[in-house]
Amino acid sequence: MVHVKEYYVATSLEDAHQRLKENPKNALLGGGTWMKYTHRILNQLIDLSKLGLSAIEEDEKQITIGALTTLRDMEVHQSIKALGDGFLSQALGSIMGVNFRHIATIGGSIFSKFSFSDILTPLLTLNVSVKLYPDEIKPLEAFLEDKGDRTKILTHLIIEKQEGHGYFKKVAQVINDFCVVNVAIFKEKETKIAVGGRPQRAKLTTEAIKLIKDSKTFDEVLFTKVAQQGVQELRFGEDDRGSESYRKLLAETYIARGLKEVYSKWWYPFI
């Protein structure tokens, strides 16, 4: 459990930023859903709830989501549901129960970089950036790989509107549990494949996608080869939810199935 010496409501982003720099044991409050399971002693817990970071805004090119937007608000938003045949909304809906998703925030979910995350996996297959206070916009993939400056504040998630088809699959022992593995695929002009819960953090395949780019025939033989290559290039492990070999089998199976589903929806001249 987290033990907090002082709770503080920030008056501005600059105020919060300065307090983060003052003491490494100062931290931001997201939805607070994992505080009970985190063992830390904090000097100051900084609340950003008065700073207007819970809105979803959009224009013709992108969707901008405030860091304190709840997972549930994202899940039911019409523009989110329209992305990739609803695969992003589906992934959000697979996270715990509705009550949990009414509390958990997208900023906390991304900034924490959880290895069991069900939302990072589909987000990686889209063109997504994060906005960091005071002065940086960074692609999501780069943000996840970067240890970064913990005093920077994630204020917004920026999702480019895309017309492609998506696929998401989560495998768990029981409903509302953490994933054993999850797979996301998105195809627009190019195809992206991500696998999470291995039990490492979600990651895109790179070598597997080259097989698709170099192929002129798109069938189950190709999809099986791509799935095998994807599993080969990613690192898998084991924990109490599943063995390494079981996770590899699941990932290979659902990458192949996902590719078949996504490509079956795509108009042939664009394949």
Side-chain angles (χ1 to χ4, degrees), residues 32-52:
T33 50
W34 300 113
M35 289 179 65
K36 184 177 180 181
Y37 305 98
T38 304
H39 301 287
R40 293 180 66 188
I41 298 176
L42 297 177
N43 175 64
Q44 190 175 75
L45 188 62
I46 304 166
D47 186 344
L48 305 178
S49 62
K50 303 299 183 182
L51 305 185

Side-chain angles (χ1 to χ4, degrees), residues 7-228:
Y7 169 77
Y8 178 77
V9 180
T11 58
S12 67
L13 285 170
E14 177 60 25
D15 177 29
H17 186 232
Q18 288 299 323
R19 288 177 179 273
L20 285 175
K21 292 195 296 183
E22 286 172 5
N23 191 326
K25 290 190 176 181
N26 290 351
L28 300 177
L29 174 64
T33 50
W34 300 113
M35 289 179 65
K36 184 177 180 181
Y37 305 98
T38 304
H39 301 287
R40 293 180 66 188
I41 298 176
L42 297 177
N43 175 64
Q44 190 175 75
L45 188 62
I46 304 166
D47 186 344
L48 305 178
S49 62
K50 303 299 183 182
L51 305 185
L53 297 176
S54 58
I56 301 178
E57 301 175 330
E58 62 180 305
D59 56 28
E60 65 278 5
K61 293 184 178 181
Q62 64 188 32
I63 306 168
T64 302
I65 304 167
L68 293 187
T69 301
T70 68
L71 301 186
R72 179 61 176 171
D73 284 345
M74 276 188 67
E75 176 190 353
V76 300
H77 193 277
Q78 290 303 311
S79 293
I80 300 295
K81 292 169 73 173
L83 287 169
D85 310 307
F87 84 130
L88 186 54
S89 182
Q90 177 191 348
L92 287 159
S94 74
I95 299 171
M96 300 298 177
V98 174
N99 289 341
F100 179 93
R101 299 196 297 277
H102 272 300
I103 300 171
T105 63
I106 188 60
S109 300
I110 292 174
F111 197 82
S112 299
K113 305 179 182 181
F114 292 127
S115 61
F116 55 78
S117 175
D118 293 314
I119 188 57
L120 289 179
T121 314
L123 284 174
L124 276 172
T125 66
L126 296 167
N127 294 334
V128 176
S129 299
V130 294
K131 186 175 182 180
L132 302 167
Y133 183 88
D135 57 2
E136 188 173 11
I137 294 178
K138 181 178 290 190
L140 176 62
E141 184 179 11
F143 173 76
L144 294 177
E145 295 295 334
D146 186 9
K147 293 182 180 180
D149 181 354
R150 298 291 291 185
T151 67
K152 290 191 175 181
I153 301 172
L154 194 160
T155 62
H156 294 86
L157 180 73
I158 303 168
I159 305 176
E160 180 183 321
K161 289 184 176 180
Q162 296 173 260
E163 298 293 335
H165 296 288
Y167 169 89
F168 176 77
K169 177 65 179 182
K170 172 182 178 177
V171 179
Q173 292 180 346
V174 294
I175 193 169
N176 294 340
D177 194 8
F178 296 131
C179 66
V180 177
V181 76
N182 57 44
V183 173
I185 300 171
F186 184 78
K187 174 171 174 50
E188 194 181 32
K189 293 180 180 179
E190 295 185 347
T191 303
K192 291 184 180 180
I193 302 169
V195 183
R198 308 181 323 275
Q200 289 81 23
R201 188 178 62 240
K203 192 174 181 65
L204 287 166
T205 66
T206 54
E207 297 303 314
I209 296 306
K210 293 178 182 178
L211 296 176
I212 295 177
K213 291 180 178 179
D214 295 339
S215 181
K216 296 181 180 180
T217 303
F218 302 90
D219 55 20
E220 291 190 31
V221 174
L222 173 66
F223 300 152
T224 298
K225 289 180 179 178
V226 172
Q228 291 171 343

